[in-house]
Amino acid sequence: MKRLLAEDPGGPVVMLNLLRFAEGGDESYREYARHLRETFLPRYGAEVVYAGVGSTVLVAEDGQSWDAVVVVRYPDRAAFGRMVADPEYQQVTRLRTAALSEAVLQATTPWR
């Protein structure tokens, strides 16, 4: 988190989530996502830009296909940092942890 905040160019940050579910994990992730949509994203001024199920892989190495992709826009990196530090949010992260066998969470910024 320190590096994310230290490298802050200012302005919005879009977080790319690549998700691979553990056996039966999609239900747990849906519960986590409900908490995110209803409570935490509004609290920190964020929004889901896109959420979708993985489909046909056209260009990728073996093992690079994902079960789902979620793209979330935060007003800035500090808002993301405040959310993950929120004690109430930390209580629901167990749902995300239980749901996933593998994940990538990458901050992105617009090309300039």
Side-chain angles (χ1 to χ4, degrees):
M1 185 58 65
K2 288 180 184 179
R3 188 170 140 206
L4 176 78
L5 297 174
E7 295 175 353
D8 189 355
V13 62
V14 174
M15 300 299 282
L16 171 65
N17 296 261
L18 302 175
L19 310 173
R20 187 165 295 120
F21 296 122
E23 185 71 31
D26 55 335
E27 278 304 312
S28 182
Y29 194 85
R30 287 179 196 277
E31 180 67 12
Y32 164 78
R34 183 183 65 77
H35 287 284
L36 209 63
R37 276 191 323 273
E38 293 177 4
T39 303
F40 301 107
L41 296 183
R43 183 179 292 173
Y44 295 98
E47 65 177 326
V48 173
V49 175
Y50 176 81
V53 176
S55 185
T56 306
V57 176
L58 299 176
V59 179
E61 299 293 323
D62 287 341
Q64 290 184 327
S65 64
W66 298 94
D67 295 327
V69 174
V70 181
V71 178
V72 182
R73 182 186 178 279
Y74 294 85
D76 51 43
R77 291 178 185 218
F80 177 78
R82 287 190 305 274
M83 184 186 80
V84 298
D86 183 324
E88 190 178 347
Y89 172 78
Q90 291 176 3
Q91 291 178 11
V92 300
T93 59
R94 63 177 172 70
L95 295 167
R96 184 181 192 278
T97 301
L100 300 174
S101 64
E102 189 175 2
V104 170
L105 176 61
Q106 183 172 351
T108 71
T109 54
W111 278 343
R112 300 195 194 281

